[in-house]
Amino acid sequence: MSQSWIRTENLTYSYQDDSTGEDQPVLHGIDLSIDRGEYIAIIGHNGSGKSTLAKLLNLVLEPTGGAIYVDGKNVSSPDMTDEDVFALRQKVGMVFQNPDNQLVATVVEEDVAFGPENLGVPSAEIRQRVDDALAMVGMTEYAKHEPHRLSGGQKQRVAIAGIIAMMPECMIFDESTAMLDPLGRREVLDTMEMLHREKNITIITITHHMDEAARADRIIVLDDGRILRDGTPEEIFSDPEPLIEAGLDVPQSASLIHRLRKQGIELPGKIGTPDDCLETICAVFEQ
Amino acid sequence: MKSITLGQFYPSDSILHRLDPRMKVILAVLYIVATFLCKNVLSFALLLLSAIVLILISKIPMKLVLGGIKAILFIMAFTALINVFFTKGETPIVEWRFIHIYAEGLWQALFMIVRITVLIVGTSMLLTYTTTPIMLTDALEQLLAPLRVLHIPVHEFAMMMTIALRFIPTLVEETNKIMSAQKARGADFTSGSLISRAKALIPILIPLFVSAFRRADELATAMECRCYHGGAGRTRMTILHYSPKDFVALAVIVVFGAGIIVLNRLGIGYTM
């Protein structure tokens, strides 16, 4: 029995095609283990099943086969009650792509309170949680604002605060930076990494920005509903051919190191982010 | 489009703004009843006075209030004319061919104009100008909560209202975007007959509806992820509390209603 916090066994998902009536498989037998406190990026081209996988983990979608265990509990079993599902969603929060379409209330703090209110948390504690969550994402001064007057990055931070207020142990970001400008993206990424570092929250981010993936501790590459690669950014990006075959990019820094290595230059060290790349190359010059 | 404001709420710190929204709804209902109790010159005078007092203590600029009355000018004129021409009485003023105007008709028209004006001014001072739409929704949800016994989905209605309020600015912004996009492709919304202008709206409405449904779908998923499951077992962050000033306001309106009934009995001048 492994100690993994989230574990999937031969997880499959397929949906029925409306026009042909045939089952259209999206995921074919995913075996995955995620430990508490990990920072994981899931990458893959469009239609690789990465979003589906994320939505299965907190039962927005129900698996058609296999099993999912979260915190030692089989959450894909048919005898899950509604309360069990709510308990799961409280533990595994999810932030979506479009910041507009996940804010419910007309005032920022009311929106952050929405999750805890649904969980039936006492009023005084909700107040405390909302204040803490807003402070954590740096949106305290906007507590009384209307969401539609905020920027994309700010809205997304409010959405994150709304999940934090539910006190999750794991947060899934389903392409949460895809619709943001560079500034908004940085705000969200910084918030994400702060939650991982300071609150020890397990982060699973679905992205198609390779430089975002490179910041994670571990990358899972999905291709046509199967796990193609699973490893640290160094492991994944030092061997870029399978990625390119799967229709994915490699971060520029990793690609540079890879080409230098191909030229026969010895480059030990990290390669994921531009900073790592710089260090690795400088180290060679110092020798 | 960032400047869009919903409803007529006018931010200020008047006593009316600070009353509990639930009490304001109750006060507004009582006030409406009072306007319909009025029967003679004295009670209508008191009614008019009360509306002026409401405007003054609400700190709403007169210009805004008059603007609100302007919107119902047509209805007022129409009601007045009907009353002038169709009220039968005993003291004729004009009798010419088929036109008979009686003094009672003129009184009746005057009373109706005062009643409609005060109805609009009073309720908007108590509710729409001094209460945000969201507070109003909360107040209605709590006041109507007993109806849940009759299986009326009060919480669900309030939630729909909240979401509608939340998404109106978003959809207005989107409409503008779609209009710009269609204009860039040569669409013309401003010339041609009424019918051709209405037809020009179809390429705006279709993308707008498609996107609204997509938004609704995504929002529903996001709400489920945040454990939304209706009103049962749900707590609220802000709990409304009645304060002494709410009960003072209630007492004032009860005295006011009693005053109207007393004045009605004095029987001075024309009685409705």
Side-chain angles (χ1 to χ4, degrees):
Chain A
M1 183 67 204
S2 77
Q3 292 302 303
S4 301
W5 197 66
I6 296 179
R7 189 160 53 88
T8 71
E9 272 173 10
N10 197 26
L11 181 65
T12 60
Y13 181 78
S14 53
Y15 68 93
Q16 216 168 29
D17 194 307
D18 286 337
S19 50
T20 60
E22 283 169 31
D23 275 355
Q24 209 69 39
V26 184
L27 294 176
H28 313 264
I30 301 278
D31 289 306
L32 189 63
S33 295
I34 296 171
D35 286 330
R36 201 185 278 265
E38 274 196 286
Y39 177 13
I40 295 181
I42 301 180
I43 59 177
H45 64 82
N46 290 339
S48 60
K50 56 187 193 302
S51 234
T52 308
L53 177 59
K55 290 193 172 104
L56 286 168
L57 293 183
N58 75 347
L59 292 187
V60 174
L61 296 175
E62 281 182 31
T64 42
I68 307 170
Y69 297 89
V70 175
D71 207 1
K73 191 176 164 68
N74 182 356
V75 297
S76 52
S77 87
D79 40 70
M80 282 279 283
T81 62
D82 281 352
E83 276 67 38
D84 293 338
V85 174
F86 297 140
L88 170 69
R89 288 182 181 156
Q90 182 268 317
K91 273 189 218 163
V92 183
M94 193 147 175
V95 181
F96 292 89
Q97 184 178 39
N98 189 331
D100 264 321
N101 297 352
Q102 42 188 328
L103 302 181
V104 188
T106 50
V107 183
V108 165
E109 60 175 17
E110 291 283 335
D111 188 84
V112 176
F114 182 72
E117 285 179 341
N118 290 333
L119 293 172
V121 175
S123 301
E125 197 190 329
I126 298 181
R127 182 78 257 173
Q128 189 59 43
R129 285 190 186 194
V130 167
D131 292 345
D132 290 350
L134 282 173
M136 222 180 276
V137 299
M139 291 293 289
T140 304
E141 57 180 311
Y142 295 95
K144 304 275 181 197
H145 282 230
E146 293 168 35
H148 72 269
R149 291 171 203 262
L150 303 178
S151 74
Q154 290 173 327
K155 280 183 212 170
Q156 203 63 295
R157 273 149 69 200
V158 172
I160 294 173
I163 303 297
I164 296 174
M166 294 169 71
M167 310 226 155
E169 291 169 58
C170 170
M171 283 176 79
I172 303 175
F173 294 82
D174 188 0
E175 301 201 36
S176 303
T177 59
M179 291 181 71
L180 305 179
D181 57 13
L183 179 68
R185 259 183 70 191
R186 199 159 61 229
E187 288 171 4
V188 170
L189 282 175
D190 289 347
T191 310
M192 221 190 264
E193 282 166 18
M194 180 272 294
L195 290 172
H196 171 243
R197 219 173 34 241
E198 291 172 19
K199 301 286 154 189
N200 201 28
I201 292 175
T202 310
I203 304 282
I204 302 174
T205 172
I206 317 264
T207 180
H208 49 235
H209 288 288
M210 290 306 137
D211 24 328
E212 274 179 40
R215 296 165 72 151
D217 299 336
R218 175 177 162 200
I219 297 180
I220 293 163
V221 186
L222 282 188
D223 186 38
D224 284 332
R226 290 186 178 83
I227 294 180
L228 185 71
R229 303 286 315 271
D230 182 348
T232 63
E234 283 71 36
E235 288 165 9
I236 303 288
F237 292 133
S238 57
D239 179 17
E241 264 88 27
L243 292 185
I244 292 163
E245 269 171 45
L248 292 167
D249 279 337
V250 187
Q252 279 187 334
S253 54
S255 160
L256 172 68
I257 301 263
H258 182 66
R259 274 183 289 172
L260 289 172
R261 280 178 183 165
K262 262 192 165 173
Q263 300 283 320
I265 302 170
E266 286 277 316
L267 286 169
K270 291 182 158 195
I271 63 168
T273 65
D275 285 345
D276 293 342
C277 169
L278 185 69
E279 259 176 51
T280 307
I281 293 175
C282 286
V284 170
F285 280 115
E286 277 164 18
Q287 280 171 13
Chain B
M1 251 310 132
K2 296 239 161 182
S3 64
I4 187 167
T5 46
L6 279 173
Q8 298 169 300
F9 179 69
Y10 181 87
S12 172
D13 64 339
S14 79
I15 173 86
L16 288 184
H17 285 77
R18 281 179 278 126
L19 286 180
D20 186 297
R22 290 171 300 177
M23 186 53 87
K24 281 195 271 188
V25 172
I26 296 169
L27 294 180
V29 171
L30 293 176
Y31 195 71
I32 291 170
V33 172
T35 57
F36 282 97
L37 284 177
C38 291
K39 281 202 168 87
N40 65 9
V41 182
L42 287 178
S43 54
F44 271 105
L46 178 64
L47 188 67
L48 203 57
L49 185 73
S50 74
I52 292 166
V53 170
L54 275 179
I55 294 172
L56 291 179
I57 61 171
S58 71
K59 296 187 186 167
I60 308 288
M62 208 38 129
K63 219 174 84 190
L64 224 60
V65 180
L66 292 178
I69 297 174
K70 221 165 80 184
I72 51 152
L73 224 46
F74 174 76
I75 299 174
M76 276 160 59
F78 186 74
T79 321
L81 285 178
I82 296 257
N83 277 298
V84 168
F85 289 109
F86 292 96
T87 309
K88 296 267 180 282
E90 278 143 20
T91 38
I93 294 173
V94 181
E95 281 198 58
W96 180 71
R97 295 201 183 178
F98 58 89
I99 299 177
H100 300 273
I101 297 177
Y102 301 91
E104 287 83 357
L106 290 179
W107 278 116
Q108 192 83 11
L110 181 68
F111 286 170
M112 283 312 284
I113 288 176
V114 172
R115 179 176 285 167
I116 295 173
T117 312
V118 170
L119 211 58
I120 298 295
V121 171
T123 49
S124 55
M125 284 311 121
L126 280 168
L127 295 175
T128 50
Y129 280 115
T130 58
T131 323
T132 58
I134 201 72
M135 281 173 83
L136 212 49
T137 312
D138 278 356
L140 285 172
E141 178 179 358
Q142 296 192 26
L143 282 173
L144 299 179
L147 292 182
R148 255 179 279 166
V149 178
L150 305 172
H151 296 287
I152 295 172
V154 177
H155 165 77
E156 282 72 10
F157 280 127
M159 184 49 87
M160 283 196 278
M161 187 72 193
T162 309
I163 292 173
L165 290 170
R166 156 74 187 81
F167 277 90
I168 287 168
T170 310
L171 291 177
V172 168
E173 210 171 305
E174 182 146 40
T175 312
N176 287 335
K177 253 189 225 163
I178 297 172
M179 278 178 91
S180 306
Q182 303 291 34
K183 272 187 201 155
R185 295 170 193 169
D188 181 6
F189 303 119
T190 49
S191 61
S193 68
L194 201 61
I195 293 174
S196 68
R197 262 192 263 177
K199 272 186 182 163
L201 288 178
I202 293 175
I204 296 173
L205 291 179
I206 291 175
L208 189 64
F209 269 79
V210 170
S211 126
F213 280 115
R214 188 182 306 127
R215 281 181 194 281
D217 190 41
E218 283 182 22
L219 182 71
T221 309
M223 285 171 74
E224 283 200 319
C225 278
R226 292 166 78 182
C227 297
Y228 180 69
H229 53 281
R234 202 174 134 81
T235 48
R236 300 303 306 264
M237 176 171 68
T238 34
I239 296 172
L240 296 171
H241 289 291
Y242 290 115
S243 65
K245 60 178 177 292
D246 294 310
F247 295 105
V248 172
L250 185 64
V252 168
I253 207 132
V254 168
V255 170
F256 165 72
I260 282 182
I261 292 169
V262 170
L263 290 177
N264 276 340
R265 298 202 165 230
L266 291 179
I268 294 169
Y270 172 72
T271 306
M272 261 175 114

